[in-house]
Amino acid sequence: MRVTVIGAGVAGLTCALELAERGAQVEVLERHGELAAAGCSWFAGGMLAPWCELESSTALIVQLGAESIPWWRERFPATVTNGTLVVAHGRDLAELQQFARRTTQSRELTGEELAVLEPELRGRFSRALYFAAEAHLDPRAALSALVQRLSELGVSMRFGVEVQALPLAGRAVIDCRGLAARGELADLRGVKGEMLLLRLPELALRRPVRVLHPRLPVYVVPRANGEYMVGASMIESDEGTRISARSMLELLSAAYALHPAFGEAQILEIGTGVRAAFPDNLPRIRRVGEVLYVNGLYRHGFLLAPALARRAAQMLLHGQHFPEVADEDSRQRRLA
């Protein structure tokens, strides 16, 4: 089968790889001129945290996310499985209790146990939750690794290409354009996310840390070379080119409250991206005419993309049906 995948974000690249590994002849078309500009995947946090996400999501996110972690570990060996920490300052400990009630697969740590796991946080928090099975990765390194693997499999990657008409003659098409597909998927909406990339080699956190707060929970994700990604914001907006002063202050304040050393960090980058979401914030694989759309990953791009890509490949190559991601009614029946 000859397949064109439109979009070189994480959804498009994982779909292309699943198809290429199964023997399809695949090409990837991306309207931006380089990988760094290919949508919100470049600014993602890279947390593979399905059990944490249960706090505000459904069992479907846990199911798809749990499938995706071994996929990433096999295809991107730099995936780190050190778990996730969730902490709250003294005045917000009720938020930690609520988080524990809404999620699964965690154990509660005392302040002393937390200090053993993350020595840099010694004395800073009296309690924490530890999700040991969760993982994280550097999204930019992961995207580059997927591109390299696709090249090795003979997949054509073409950047700076606008697709003028769908479907494409003689080729199956998977559309992974995110919010750019709203002309065909009218129920999509934009959710803006904002992030900071900081450099602080003096600090050595080894796993993502979520800091709970009633207004703006924040996550801090370690990367290589003493760098940390700080993010959290979810703003109902299609405008993704600017970060607000309020968000900048709150992200920096939350990082500083996690550890005062962040007050000396270098700000390497400020980034924004607009994620595509359906009204229920759950993903879809939807066929419109001859085109298969993989969309609506919301804030769970790297977490959900491999599981969705596997299903899209099975649908395209073998005609299988996956009601849990097909439409709202069948999804609710499946999870009930």
Side-chain angles (χ1 to χ4, degrees):
M1 179 176 283
R2 301 168 65 209
V3 185
T4 294
V5 176
I6 304 175
V10 67
L13 295 180
T14 52
C15 283
L17 186 53
E18 277 289 323
L19 287 161
E21 289 179 344
R22 296 162 192 251
Q25 181 187 1
V26 184
E27 68 173 359
V28 178
L29 306 181
E30 168 56 50
R31 65 189 179 96
H32 291 100
E34 58 180 347
L35 186 63
C40 58
S41 296
W42 195 251
F43 298 106
M47 292 183 299
L48 308 178
W51 296 282
C52 276
E53 290 302 323
L54 190 57
E55 188 267 340
S56 58
S57 300
T58 71
L60 177 63
I61 303 303
V62 177
Q63 173 193 341
L64 299 176
E67 289 181 31
S68 296
I69 291 175
W71 191 97
W72 282 114
R73 293 180 65 181
E74 179 181 348
R75 292 165 179 81
F76 183 58
T79 300
V80 180
T81 309
N82 274 352
T84 303
L85 283 172
V86 181
V87 300
H89 297 285
R91 63 185 180 277
D92 299 322
L93 282 178
E95 299 290 325
L96 193 68
Q97 295 170 347
Q98 186 177 61
F99 197 96
R101 287 194 297 267
R102 291 180 175 178
T103 57
T104 61
Q105 303 297 317
S106 72
R107 67 182 178 94
E108 186 173 332
L109 304 178
T110 65
E112 292 75 15
E113 291 171 325
L114 172 61
V116 171
L117 203 62
E118 282 288 358
E120 298 281 13
L121 299 182
R122 180 179 299 277
R124 302 204 56 77
F125 300 93
S126 62
R127 293 167 55 198
L129 297 176
Y130 180 42
F131 295 78
E134 295 187 337
H136 70 281
L137 50 75
D138 182 334
R140 299 176 181 185
L143 292 173
S144 298
L146 292 182
V147 169
Q148 177 62 34
R149 178 59 179 152
L150 289 168
S151 177
E152 293 169 357
L153 291 174
V155 173
S156 171
M157 298 281 303
R158 298 167 58 195
F159 289 89
V161 177
E162 287 280 0
V163 179
Q164 299 298 325
L166 294 174
L168 302 178
R171 305 189 71 92
V173 176
I174 297 183
D175 189 305
C176 301
R177 289 179 295 151
L179 199 60
R182 191 161 51 181
E184 296 76 31
L185 306 177
D187 49 344
L188 280 178
R189 76 185 200 283
V191 181
K192 179 181 177 181
E194 301 163 318
M195 58 82 78
L196 303 176
L197 188 61
L198 308 178
R199 187 170 187 273
L200 184 61
E202 295 81 9
L203 195 67
L205 297 177
R206 295 179 287 192
R207 53 187 52 79
V209 181
R210 294 181 182 233
V211 185
L212 301 183
H213 186 277
R215 187 179 68 254
L216 184 71
V218 169
Y219 51 81
V220 177
V221 187
R223 296 188 179 172
N225 304 316
E227 296 179 6
Y228 293 88
M229 187 272 193
V230 181
S233 61
M234 291 182 292
I235 302 169
E236 297 287 332
S237 172
D238 294 352
E239 197 283 305
T241 60
R242 299 177 181 87
I243 188 171
S244 68
R246 179 191 297 268
S247 294
M248 170 79 85
L249 288 170
E250 289 184 333
L251 292 175
L252 288 173
S253 296
Y256 180 79
L258 174 66
H259 198 292
F262 278 109
E264 303 302 320
Q266 298 175 343
I267 299 177
L268 300 181
E269 188 174 335
I270 302 167
T272 62
V274 179
R275 307 106 154 188
F278 289 107
D280 58 4
N281 295 333
L282 296 178
R284 303 284 197 285
I285 302 178
R286 180 182 294 176
R287 186 177 291 279
V288 180
E290 299 300 314
V291 179
L292 200 65
Y293 290 84
V294 178
N295 215 314
L297 278 68
Y298 184 42
R299 66 179 190 184
H300 306 122
F302 281 81
L303 179 63
L304 302 186
L308 292 172
R310 183 179 296 121
R311 286 162 172 74
Q314 290 292 99
M315 291 171 68
L316 201 61
L317 298 176
H318 304 295
Q320 289 187 240
H321 180 56
F322 297 93
E324 67 271 22
V325 293
D327 60 78
E328 184 174 358
D329 290 341
S330 61
R331 174 169 49 242
Q332 296 304 322
R333 288 197 299 271
R334 175 72 171 264
L335 295 175

